[in-house]
Structure formats: structure tokens, C-alpha cells
Amino acid sequence: QVRLQESGPGLVKPSQTLSLTCTASGASITADYDVWAWIRQPPGKGLEWMGAVNSIGVDYYSPSLKSRTSIYRDAAKNRITLQLSTVTPEDTATYYCARWDLGPITTMSAYDIWGRGTQVTVSS
């Protein structure tokens, strides 16, 4: 059974860099054709696709976040890391990692396995 577990700081100060990790169990993040994404949901708003990395390390980003986002994988630890720089209170959200299954990688329905999410608040 594939499971994803997000972890990271619950509170980050404005202008800092947020770093979150997603640890996978039951599957290898380097398995052929797999894509692993970070998706977030601000309070009271819908899901927002942030970016993804595939099994050979190629990354993809939302145009609106590309300048501040980095997603990379650590094959040895079987985890995917999200870094979001220069955060503001608008980055307050629940952050999820998810595994792609079928369809365009920017659509939420394309992902079949989701972590439980980790809440991040940006506040001074």
C-alpha cells in the first residue's frame, strides 16, 4: 500500500523559505513514469497545483509560483522536497503531496494517492 506523509514547520515567518518533505512508503519515487506533485489549499479556497517532479528528476512548476518554487527528489530517502521562498501570509495553506495516476499533471483528478496534508501558517 502506497502512503505519503508530509512534514515540515507549522509556522513560518514572512520572507522566509518554507521547506516541506513528503516521504513515500510502499513505492519508489524513482519508479518508471511516476510523477509526484505538491498541491496546496489555502483556507476557504480551492486546491492549487504548485508543481511536480517525475521519476527521473524532471520538474514542472505552476507559472504563478515558478519563480519561488523548487521541487526535487531524494532517491536515497525516497522523499520529495518542496521549497517555497519569500513566503507571505497568502502562502498560508494546507500542503499536500500526491502521486500522479492518469491525465494532465496539473489537474487534481489525475492524482490517486494523497498524503494527509500539513498545515502551514505564515505569520510574524
Side-chain angles (χ1 to χ4, degrees):
Q1 183 178 6
V2 180
R3 292 185 177 179
L4 302 175
Q5 178 66 57
E6 303 91 345
S7 61
L11 179 65
V12 183
K13 294 183 178 180
S15 81
Q16 290 185 338
T17 295
L18 169 66
S19 184
L20 299 175
T21 59
C22 172
T23 302
S25 60
S28 170
I29 63 169
T30 60
D32 287 348
Y33 310 116
D34 270 345
V35 179
W36 308 85
W38 282 97
I39 297 163
R40 68 180 182 179
Q41 185 169 29
K45 297 184 179 180
L47 293 166
E48 178 186 18
W49 184 84
M50 301 180 69
V53 62
N54 71 10
S55 57
I56 60 172
V58 178
D59 47 10
Y60 313 83
Y61 298 105
S62 166
S64 64
L65 295 171
K66 185 175 182 179
S67 65
R68 300 195 292 130
T69 307
S70 178
I71 297 174
Y72 56 91
R73 62 192 187 117
D74 183 336
K77 296 182 178 181
N78 210 41
R79 67 185 187 189
I80 303 99
T81 297
L82 166 72
Q83 290 192 325
L84 182 66
S85 65
T86 322
V87 298
T88 71
E90 286 66 41
D91 294 310
T92 295
T94 299
Y95 287 75
Y96 300 91
C97 63
R99 188 187 73 171
W100 174 82
D101 178 44
L102 184 67
I105 64 169
T106 58
T107 60
M108 306 309 162
S109 60
Y111 295 88
D112 63 342
I113 305 294
W114 292 68
R116 292 187 174 183
T118 186
Q119 173 68 42
V120 176
T121 300
V122 180
S123 175
S124 56

